[in-house]
Amino acid sequence: EVQLVESGGAVIQPGGSLKLSCAASGFSFDDYTMHWVRHAPGTGLEWVSLISWDGDTTYYADSVKGRFTISRDNSKSSLFLQMDSLRSEDTAFYYCAKDLQDMTTIFDYWGQGTLVTVSS
Amino acid sequence: EIVMTQSPPTLSVSPGEGATLSCRASQNIGTTLAWYQQKPGQAPRLLIYGASTRATGIPARFSGSGSGTEFTLSISSLQSEDFALYYCQQYNNWLLSTFGQGTKLEIK
């Protein structure tokens, strides 16, 4: 059974940093592109970032480019999101999601999410 | 950015009846459309991709149709576990993928 478990969400002040983690199991983690998707209160879902199976290719939504960094450790089946210069508009549930194939941006499995609240 | 508009925002249906949810794209996306279901406190679940292909393990009562700018998710013979939030997503431009605001399917 595929499982994705996020952790690291917290209440953080504007301008602060936070690192999210996602522990994956039940599939060959190093075969798949992985993503972060967020859902802010009162707004729709927003794709945030992706990383290729080998970590060599990364992409970001314009809203987080230059502030967030995605990474992975295939030896530990783990995905990460380093978030710097956090803003109030980054407040959201952050989901780790597995790509259906190779960079399709179709998300066939999601975690339960971890809540990030940016507030003073 | 491609804007996805879902309608209605809320749909009230009795168990055992069918439901039709709509999703409109602001420009032609071919069949690069997916549908997801989300229940409170749970992870979203992929239902349909390619506008009409059911994901692994999804019951046959869920079906998707459409192409271009107009898409439909149909659920026949609603069961209690089907009452949830439903989102559509376009991935035509896969780095600028966008979601609709969702339709809440509630028990009438």
Side-chain angles (χ1 to χ4, degrees), chain A residues 56-97:
Chain A
D56 283 352
T57 302
T58 59
Y59 291 104
Y60 301 90
D62 286 345
S63 58
V64 306
K65 200 173 296 182
R67 301 186 299 121
F68 289 12
T69 303
I70 191 171
S71 62
R72 65 192 296 161
D73 183 343
N74 286 344
S75 70
K76 296 181 179 178
S77 296
S78 294
L79 177 71
F80 306 100
L81 186 68
Q82 175 68 43
M83 303 186 294
D84 298 320
S85 304
L86 282 161
R87 307 168 180 167
S88 58
E89 54 264 37
D90 296 319
T91 294
F93 276 97
Y94 284 74
Y95 297 96
C96 160

Side-chain angles (χ1 to χ4, degrees), chain B:
Chain B
E1 176 182 306
I2 300 175
V3 178
M4 306 301 291
T5 303
Q6 291 186 242
S7 61
T10 303
L11 182 61
S12 299
V13 183
S14 299
E17 295 185 342
T20 301
L21 288 66
S22 297
C23 177
R24 173 178 293 176
S26 61
Q27 59 186 266
N28 189 336
I29 60 169
T31 57
T32 56
L33 184 104
W35 289 94
Y36 300 87
Q37 177 194 68
Q38 187 175 27
K39 300 177 184 178
Q42 294 188 18
R45 178 172 73 148
L46 175 66
L47 300 174
I48 301 283
Y49 62 95
S52 61
T53 301
R54 274 191 302 277
T56 302
I58 301 303
R61 65 179 182 274
F62 289 90
S63 63
S65 63
S67 66
T69 61
E70 300 286 342
F71 300 88
T72 297
L73 174 69
S74 298
I75 312 170
S76 63
S77 189
L78 281 162
Q79 301 188 9
S80 57
E81 62 265 30
D82 299 335
F83 292 95
L85 271 167
Y86 290 84
Y87 295 98
C88 63
Q89 175 217 7
Q90 67 79 19
Y91 51 93
N92 185 64
N93 183 335
W94 55 280
L95 289 183
L96 291 173
S97 174
T98 50
F99 293 82
Q101 293 292 320
T103 290
K104 181 181 180 182
L105 181 58
E106 64 177 25
I107 299 174
K108 186 175 182 180

Side-chain angles (χ1 to χ4, degrees), chain A:
Chain A
E1 179 191 6
V2 172
Q3 284 200 320
L4 299 169
V5 180
E6 302 94 337
S7 61
V11 178
I12 190 84
Q13 291 190 337
S17 297
L18 200 61
K19 187 172 185 176
L20 306 182
S21 300
C22 171
S25 61
F27 66 102
S28 297
F29 181 74
D30 53 8
D31 281 346
Y32 291 92
T33 295
M34 296 295 295
H35 303 260
W36 287 99
V37 179
R38 68 185 180 183
H39 194 179
T43 71
L45 290 156
E46 179 188 16
W47 171 81
V48 172
S49 180
L50 73 78
I51 186 167
S52 60
W53 64 273
D54 58 2
D56 283 352
T57 302
T58 59
Y59 291 104
Y60 301 90
D62 286 345
S63 58
V64 306
K65 200 173 296 182
R67 301 186 299 121
F68 289 12
T69 303
I70 191 171
S71 62
R72 65 192 296 161
D73 183 343
N74 286 344
S75 70
K76 296 181 179 178
S77 296
S78 294
L79 177 71
F80 306 100
L81 186 68
Q82 175 68 43
M83 303 186 294
D84 298 320
S85 304
L86 282 161
R87 307 168 180 167
S88 58
E89 54 264 37
D90 296 319
T91 294
F93 276 97
Y94 284 74
Y95 297 96
C96 160
K98 172 186 168 293
D99 199 290
L100 178 65
Q101 295 165 353
D102 184 28
M103 292 195 192
T104 63
T105 325
I106 302 168
F107 313 115
D108 63 344
Y109 290 96
W110 303 55
Q112 304 260 17
T114 187
L115 179 61
V116 174
T117 303
V118 184
S119 174
S120 54

